[in-house]
Amino acid sequence: MLSLDRVSRVRIGSFVMVVLMASAAGGQSLHETSATTVSRVSQSSSAGPVPDLRETARLIVQGTNAFRTEHDLPGVAENEALQKAASYFAGFMAETDKYGHTADDKTPSDRAREHGYQPCIVAENIAWQYSSRPLTARELADRFVDGWEHSEEHRHNMLDPDVTETGVAAAHSDKTDHYYAVQMFGRPKSLSLHLRLTNRSDTMIDYELDDHHFSLPSEYVRTHELCRPTELVVHIPDGDPERRVQTIPIKADASYIFDRAGNGELRILPDTLSTSKPQAQRR
């Protein structure tokens, strides 16, 4: 589920508002179904000159990677396609003052693909901010990063151990003086994991991956494409009751064979000779 977190700060002689929104994904994006139109509450004069927004985006990436380092996670690399998608969407919100993950009637994954990114995982943090006084690029970036760090869903995206790339952009609305920031995270399809299962036994094999249940008939092969490390949970239909459920961590490409031993016991063997990656097919 998505939540809207509001952070308000009042300072002597100035007013600052930050509004945040997150979309998390594990292959498919979660996103809200409507957009909000932002308008200025008071007709005060302009807050002053606009800071360098490219520098703001750079500092957001820097701050995010510092945050990941604090939690023993590798930094995320800047990706041109994700940056283009973030730049487009920040600009769209600044031009229209419509706010939300589907403000342009598209999802974060849609925008990533349209700008050339082939995703396995896409996640997105967005926020808008208003200040009655001029802000430097550093101040603007720090406020966006701080707001995301202290919001559970945004923090989850920033500390996702399985994303590897990012694209960040900020934009300014001349109509409302609001600043919009878009922070995209991704893991490309090229880094997906492949799990190949071959059933050479004489019985149906039931198993689970990511809480999804599957059945593999005798003499069939199936390959799963995974976006995150997970566990393969195999339900053994016969044999030792204490070994009826076997769990195997899947952290890289892997291949296993279900077969019968000489004594008739069902066993799970690594298939070290397999190099092909077919989808479900009969042997």
Side-chain angles (χ1 to χ4, degrees), residues 206-224:
D206 294 321
Y207 62 95
E208 300 172 43
L209 281 172
D210 291 330
D211 296 323
H212 295 285
H213 295 260
F214 301 91
S215 294
L216 185 63
S218 175
E219 298 302 317
Y220 270 74
V221 177
R222 179 181 292 129
T223 296
H224 294 273

Side-chain angles (χ1 to χ4, degrees), residues 62-77:
Q62 184 183 82
T64 298
N65 279 335
F67 187 50
R68 288 176 65 89
T69 298
E70 290 173 8
H71 291 80
D72 299 320
L73 293 171
V76 283

